Amino acid sequence: LQGERVDFTGQVNNYKNAAAQIGNLLGGNNNSTAGKYLGKCIFFIAIGSNDYINNYFQPLFYTTGSKYSPESYAGLLIQKFADQLMTLHKYGARKFAMVGVGPIGCSPNMLAQYSADGATCVQKVDSTIEIFNGKLIELIDRLNSNLSDSKFTYINVGGIFQEILDNPIGFGFKVANAGCCGLGRNRGLVTCLPHQPPCRNRDEYLFWDAFHPTEAVNTIIARRTYAAEKETDAYPVDVRRLAL
């Protein structure tokens, strides 16, 4: 229904193949040739949301939520992530911008299912996400200490998005708890379907569908990701300084 997807391990494998092809095109016989060029690239990586939205918080389909505590599940994800990052590093990647998981407990889907008033964010969900983000920051500190030839930074999308949620009107938004396109409570029970007309004033919505922010929100996040407006937007540096 939602189409084919390539998981992060598959994407890492695709990158390994691409790095090898670049090395061959440049006339090299090892990773160092391609690495001279790939090391200048910024690898922007955002993972974790689907592991929670489409797995951990789907008890009708997966046993993950009952099998793992929030702490142990976050640890499992971070360990897998660390292994994948080391593979990218082995094949030339040197600059990494890693995005924290946003407050998915405030998404129309979670509000529709678990919020009594349809507006109050689901604290149980967001507390679980905070554990993952905390461990991701710890991983970044560890990698920056152990890999002196590389730079890792944390993009605090959750913090930026929460700021918008706390004062939507101040950022120009009128609807913070419903999708611009979708069906059911909060327009969040069924996400945007083909031929379903979206709202006409999408720039006034925080959410495009049951899960994803609108372009208007993403524009704010992108601007503050590149050039932090607050110290909390990125750690230890924003993307502008990561590129140096």
Side-chain angles (χ1 to χ4, degrees), residues 2-243:
Q2 294 180 320
E4 294 296 327
R5 292 169 293 280
V6 180
D7 63 19
F8 192 48
T9 296
Q11 294 177 51
V12 170
N13 289 333
N14 288 340
Y15 169 73
K16 288 166 56 178
N17 294 332
Q21 292 175 31
I22 291 172
N24 290 333
L25 289 172
L26 295 173
N29 55 9
N30 54 48
N31 296 334
S32 62
T33 304
K36 292 177 181 179
Y37 295 90
L38 295 171
K40 299 177 182 179
C41 301
I42 292 177
F43 292 77
F44 197 86
I45 305 171
I47 67 168
S49 294
N50 286 335
D51 293 291
Y52 287 98
I53 293 174
N54 296 320
N55 190 312
Y56 195 75
F57 292 116
Q58 289 285 353
L60 296 179
F61 302 99
Y62 300 98
T63 60
T64 318
S66 58
K67 185 177 180 181
Y68 296 97
S69 68
E71 184 81 17
S72 61
Y73 188 64
L76 181 67
L77 293 179
I78 291 297
Q79 181 55 57
K80 183 67 174 178
F81 193 16
D83 293 341
Q84 293 162 331
L85 290 173
M86 292 306 297
T87 299
L88 292 176
H89 178 269
K90 179 180 178 181
Y91 286 84
R94 292 294 182 268
K95 296 181 179 182
F96 302 83
M98 298 190 286
V99 180
V101 177
I104 59 177
C106 303
S107 67
N109 180 264
M110 290 296 172
L111 293 177
Q113 294 185 78
Y114 304 115
S115 177
D117 60 2
T120 304
C121 298
V122 185
Q123 187 58 42
K124 177 183 178 181
V125 174
D126 286 338
S127 295
T128 301
I129 297 304
E130 288 174 7
I131 294 173
F132 173 84
N133 286 338
K135 289 185 180 296
L136 180 55
I137 294 173
E138 292 174 0
L139 173 63
I140 288 170
D141 281 336
R142 188 164 68 249
L143 292 172
N144 278 328
S145 296
N146 295 339
L147 299 174
S148 59
D149 62 344
S150 302
K151 296 179 181 179
F152 296 81
T153 199
Y154 174 77
I155 305 302
N156 187 17
V157 166
I160 299 171
F161 198 88
Q162 188 62 55
E163 187 178 335
I164 299 172
L165 279 167
D166 292 341
N167 182 26
I169 294 177
F171 284 89
F173 299 103
K174 295 182 179 180
V175 183
N177 67 330
C180 172
C181 189
L183 298 172
R185 190 184 188 213
N186 298 78
R187 290 190 180 181
L189 290 177
V190 178
T191 197
C192 196
L193 298 173
H195 309 298
Q196 179 189 348
C199 64
R200 295 183 178 181
N201 53 336
R202 64 189 68 182
D203 286 346
E204 297 178 355
Y205 279 69
L206 264 68
F207 289 93
W208 164 250
D209 58 15
F211 305 103
H212 303 96
T214 57
E215 181 180 0
V217 172
N218 282 327
T219 298
I220 296 171
I221 293 174
R223 184 181 68 243
R224 292 174 61 166
T225 294
Y226 177 71
E229 296 178 9
K230 293 186 175 182
E231 290 185 2
T232 55
D233 287 352
Y235 170 81
V237 297
D238 54 24
V239 170
R240 178 176 56 179
R241 286 179 287 175
L242 180 66

